[in-house]
Amino acid sequence: MMDCKGLVILLISVTAVLGQRTRQQFFRTRPQDSFVSEGGRAIISCVIGNLGGRVQWTKDGLTLGYNRELPGFKRYSVVGSDESGIFNLQILNASLHDEAEYECQVGPNGTNKAIRESARLQVLLAPTSVEFEGYTSGSQLVVQESTEVELTCRAKDAKPKPDIVWYIGGVEITKGRREDEDEKGTSDKRMTVASTLRFRPTAMDNMKTISCEAQHPALTAGPMTASLQIFVQYPPGQPEISGYTPGEPIKRGSRVSLTCRSKGGNPAATLTWYKDGERIDSSYTNIKDGSTNTYEFIAQASDNNAEYSCQAKNDLVKKPLQAAIKMLVQYGPESVEILGPTEANLGEMLSFECVTSESNPPVDIWWVVDGRAVQGNHTRTLSSETGGWITRTNMTVSIGARDTVKNIQCQAINQAVKETKVQTHTVGVLYPFERPRIVGYSEEDTLVGGQQEKIKCTAQGGYPLASLKWFHRNTEVFSEYSVGENHASAILYLTPNMTDNGAVYRCVATSRAAPEPTEVSVRLAVKYAPTAVKIRTSPERLRQGTEATLVCESGEANPPATVVWIHDGVPLTGTTEVDLGSYGGRVTRNVLKFRVKTEDDGSVFTCKAQNEVGEALDAVTMSIAYAPRFPEVANPVEVVEGKEFVLNLTANGNPGQMTYRWTGPNGVVLGGQGLAAVNGGLLNISRATRDMAGTYTVTVNNSEGAADVKFLLDVLYAPRISSLTEYVMLEVGETAVFDCFFHSNPVKYDGIFWKKQTEDEEGLVDVYGTDPGVSVEWESVDGNGVNARLVMRNVTESDVGRYFCAVSNGIGGETLRETFLLVKSKPKMVIRQSSKSAAGNRETAILVCRAQGAPNITFTWRRMSGELGGGSKYEVFNRRVNPLEWESAFHVMDINPADYGIYECTARNALGLSKTQIILQQPSAPEIPRNFHTVNVTADSVILSWIPGFNGGSEQIYRVQYFQQHAGSLYNQPSYYDVYPMNSTSVLIAGLSSSSRYAFSIQALNDLGESAYTPDIEVHTLAAADTGSSSSSSSNNQPLVDGLTDTTSQNVPIIISISVGVCGTLLLLLSVILISCLVHRRNREKRSSATSATTTRSLSSSDSSTKSAAQDGLFNGSQGTSCYNDTMSEETMSEISEKSGSFISPHDGRISGLPHLLPEGYRPHAVSTYLTEQIGGIYSVEQGREIGFTSSNLPLGKNQFTTEDTESQYADELRRQAYIQTLGDGYNISQIGSSISYPNSPVGEYFTNSDMIESELQSTDINHPDNQPQHICHNNFVSGAQTLGRASNRFGSRKSPFQVVIPSTAAIVGGGGAAGNLSTPPVCSTPQNNFNARFPILAGLASPNRNLGEFSTFGGNGCGQATTAGKSREDGGHEPSGHLV
């Protein structure tokens, strides 16, 4: 029984073994050759049945690895699952580099043998372009009908070569000749196909599209096509004319419309109308299948027998095609003319002929004489060249005894067009006129000279009417001739004068009907005024005391004139004489005699001649010869020094040709040049000087005698201080005496003052009057010299200051000169504005400190955070501003963030010291101005003043905002005024409205921003009457603002004001939101930077040094350390700056308000470089400091770092090689050395607490004050390194700004102190000695811009090397280990 059971078990075991051997792994789906388009996705199938071994793919023999993600081949992956046996190879974004033979390999496992199967992947390259040779796709192909066309189409750079198909009008071309040729592409695997097609297009192919289509399997979206539009040219058809039937008569004036049409033609034919060979219209229109031209006109006589032709032509017609017609037009004559005499005598026989212009057909002519029809004698009809007819007929008429006028008519009638043309001809019968007569003047009338008169001459009857003309003596006089129904007249318009008195005027009448002229005449009588008066003087040269005779003679007058003399408005009596004139009038004379006086020189004597008609005037100015006489002159003559002055001493005399001689002080003769120049009687002083003062003499003479005058010239000048006690230095309680010597003219003792400058330097106050210990004395020296003395008794420190000797005398302004009273005391700091200074990176900051005191003052500077180091970092320039005030300028060169902080200036002298603090900060927007107030107000302007605030480190300007306040207004439109020049502290705002209320505020601006506006101050402008004429101008003056005006001057509607206000409010709210976002973002960056700095400090400095730095307010890195990697290139640092926004953060103990962000332009100097972003991720440098490894960049996973069989080791090695391959050709494994840590290796866990955050790293060190951090002098870490980088996820959701490599405690060998639970190497440590050699990457931290000297941040380096400690201050205060200088 037992044997049976054993046998059964043996059989079952053998069967199972045999069954296992028969279950071999196999390919369910074998890899097949396939193709993929470039850029597409390729899938090579590989499905395994009874999977036993591990599966991998190879590419041309290169293994890709067992991992489905295929590290090192980003576009490759193995899709499917092990359970299903699907191991399909997927390739994304395929390219030519992927064209290869791929093999699916299944490794052995137990009894399963290895199997493999390969397939080739072909990458299809679509054509890069399809184009016509010589043509651009979409353009037009212009050909002529039946002309062979050759087109070549190329499909370029395809793999494999594409197929080309030709289409015309959407139909494949099967006719014509086609040749295809293969060409090489731009690479070996690409092909270009050129297809040439030859064909003859017809008119049916016009405007069709011919296309070349490239077909290729890689064109999944459809074939590529290039196309052309065919434009087939062919000739037009024969033109045809419609709208008129040849031979059909039309009447003149009818509208004719001729249409010419030509069918076909491409391009369409141009149609042109011609009349008798001359072009008349070319405005044709294209229509479907042809073109047309319609010419419309009104038929005229010239159109009769005219030929109208139409010509058709296009590019294919050499000789134009033509159609023509001839017109037949009927019309009557345009004119009828009667030829014959217009005058006749009684009994004459007259002949007349009537001639018509052209007509078609000929006309019939009828004669009508005095209303009766008369038969013509003979009629003729003649043809014209234009196809019309001319008709001529004649007749005879006799003049009877009773005939005075014969009226003759010729009527031309065209029966065809129903038109009649009539012409009238009049024949006059000659007979004489009646005797003429004169109307409008008789012999009893008298004319007035100068007044226009009208005299008319009239002649009745006669044929023709009489011709009338006026004559004076034998000369024709112009007259106005006119004719009436049976009379003629001539009007004489006459303005008589004395020559017309007694003159005879004749009217002469003539006519063809009168054998002799007939005339009538009239004699004129004229009254006229004297034409002029004439004055004679005797003798010609008048002198005082002699007798003068004046004779006035009037011109001829009718009636005689009365002559009188007038002098100074008073009539004078003389002797009158009357004589007969030349034209019947009288001439009158008046003789006046008188004794000559000097006062008569220049006086006027008037002669007046007058009668009832008019008057005549003349005058004579008396010229009396006498010696010169000077005008009265003030003595002395005063002139202000430096001013221009003109003195007029022109003498009166006759003759006026006088000679002047000017003599100045000391007998100097003045000439026409210099500061004091003379011109005749004028003294012209261009600029008065003191040496011009003195006595002047002026002499003048003419032919009648001479005269002279003397005067004193007094030159007035403003006070001029020639000497003043420079300064007085005294002990408290002593007496100060100041002497002030000056000259002035005049001297006014009530204009002498002693003043002292106020402490705020805003003004001056008198120093005497209320203090009995102060007295003022003066004494006169040499006339215009005065010595003024100020005596101050029992002086105190409050008397210290700047004093002024002030003198005025009403000439010019007040004269001031300063001196100083110094009372020996310790220095007193002078604080005028803000105790701040600003400078940007790499700039030089200047800190200015001023102090007052006596005796001499010296200055010392220090930083509140510690002593200042030596070297060329700082320069100090001291100077004495004046005897009272001293100044020290402290220059900080090559500013970096560590230089910002508080500096202390100490002023010392023998009696003590004073201190002040000045803050050095980054440039910023200016501070708000202070003490904004009103200086002066008028009706239309206001003067404002203020005290500048801190300018932020650059020049500042000011902007004034103001608006007029209206009662009940919903919105006040502000106006703005930018104050220039820069740094002004007052401004005039003009163009305001009178009696109005305004609100003003001011802000400061510089390149970095602007301050807030000051609170509004209210100003009430004065009423217009308060400033006189200012009211009239204020309405015209506009405010001097930047394009804005007060709303009241613009009459802005309330709706516009509300709209503008709402828009402005919305914009303001939007600005506030944006600014808030920016501030929030900046604060967040500051907090991030502060956290980064805290972590760095905890890893780089001891507890004691950190505490010291915090107490002193030092910046991280200022003690000879580097918190950025100097080995970075400038470009790398720029990228870090853009990402982080900050290189260096201040300690928590920094002074509040100090800036800690480096400006964007800051660039540290790089002494060496290394690759930071192209290494493929193994080095990751973020925000400037340390080097670390991120776990996501390392090649192995934690669960894979185990001991496996040979196949697993082989797989790991493949993955390692693939990862190293991604690092590029420039990678060297020695760069990593033993520092490469695989975080998931058995020794990779450094921290057991995976949730430790950055702040805990710092607290770990703080909680163990006894464990001093050591300098690490080893770059070979025994244990694995833990990554604290951005990608390690050890900081939770918050990203760390640094990636720091922290070795384990075991890594610290040879340390100089006891190690705690956690010891970290200094991140921002000073590279020194052996440490530099061991860490070459950090060796570049010693920038050439640093002067380390003997200072070091750290007390010990942990390598047994001594470090020099910073010396202690004498006051025992805590000092840091060193200071950056």
Side-chain angles (χ1 to χ4, degrees), residues 256 287 365 441 567 604 1020 1078 1130 1223:
V256 181
I287 60 175
I365 294 180
Y441 180 80
H567 179 241
V604 177
H1020 294 263
L1078 292 175
E1130 199 164 352
L1223 301 180

Side-chain angles (χ1 to χ4, degrees), residues 1151-1180:
I1151 299 169
S1152 176
L1154 292 181
H1156 61 277
L1157 294 177
L1158 285 177
E1160 184 178 355
Y1162 182 75
R1163 294 290 184 272
H1165 177 72
V1167 296
S1168 62
T1169 61
Y1170 66 87
L1171 195 60
T1172 60
E1173 293 184 355
Q1174 289 78 21
I1175 304 180
I1178 195 163
Y1179 284 119
S1180 180

Side-chain angles (χ1 to χ4, degrees), residues 6 31 176 244 283 300 466 485 549 568 774 905 931 1100 1155 1160 1185 1191 1372:
Y244 177 75
S283 58
Q300 301 294 337
E485 182 178 358
T549 301
D568 293 336
V774 178
C905 171
N931 193 21
S1100 62
E1160 184 178 355
R1185 290 177 177 81
S1191 60

Side-chain angles (χ1 to χ4, degrees), residues 224-240:
M224 296 179 67
T225 303
S227 61
L228 299 172
Q229 187 182 50
I230 303 178
F231 187 84
V232 182
Q233 295 179 335
Y234 53 92
Q238 182 70 25
E240 299 176 355

Side-chain angles (χ1 to χ4, degrees), residues 5-188:
K5 289 182 179 180
L7 182 61
V8 171
I9 292 172
L10 178 61
L11 289 174
I12 292 174
S13 300
V14 171
T15 302
V17 170
L18 292 176
Q20 283 184 345
R21 290 187 177 182
T22 58
R23 292 181 59 198
Q24 288 291 323
Q25 54 191 6
F26 65 95
F27 288 104
R28 287 183 180 174
T29 303
R30 295 179 178 274
Q32 300 292 329
D33 291 345
S34 58
F35 63 87
V36 62
S37 300
E38 184 180 26
R41 181 171 72 108
I43 299 290
I44 304 178
S45 299
C46 180
V47 182
I48 312 300
N50 297 335
L51 177 64
R54 300 188 69 180
V55 180
Q56 72 171 352
W57 283 87
T58 65
K59 175 184 177 181
D60 285 340
L62 175 65
T63 58
L64 303 182
Y66 293 105
N67 194 328
R68 285 184 178 270
E69 298 301 325
L70 299 181
F73 300 90
K74 295 181 179 180
R75 296 182 292 107
Y76 290 18
S77 62
V78 178
V79 298
S81 63
D82 293 358
E83 292 76 8
S84 64
I86 298 175
F87 291 85
N88 296 339
L89 177 63
Q90 175 181 265
I91 302 175
L92 302 177
N93 193 19
S95 66
L96 272 180
H97 299 292
D98 301 322
E99 187 171 272
E101 184 175 284
Y102 294 86
E103 186 175 78
C104 180
Q105 298 179 354
V106 186
N109 185 12
T111 60
N112 282 303
K113 296 182 180 179
I115 59 177
R116 64 180 63 191
E117 188 68 35
S118 62
R120 186 157 193 86
L121 177 64
Q122 298 286 338
V123 178
L124 305 180
L125 304 179
T128 58
S129 64
V130 176
E131 57 188 35
F132 288 104
E133 185 178 287
Y135 296 93
T136 302
S137 181
S139 61
Q140 195 174 64
L141 175 65
V142 180
V143 298
Q144 293 185 0
E145 185 180 25
S146 301
T147 301
E148 185 176 73
V149 178
E150 179 178 305
L151 284 178
T152 300
C153 175
R154 279 186 173 81
K156 296 184 177 180
D157 289 339
K159 177 179 174 297
K161 70 178 183 177
D163 294 331
I164 294 179
V165 181
W166 290 85
Y167 295 91
I168 185 168
V171 180
E172 184 177 355
I173 299 176
T174 56
K175 298 180 180 180
R177 293 180 297 160
R178 170 177 170 174
E179 296 178 2
D180 291 353
E181 181 180 356
D182 296 341
E183 300 175 353
K184 289 185 178 182
T186 57
S187 62
D188 293 340

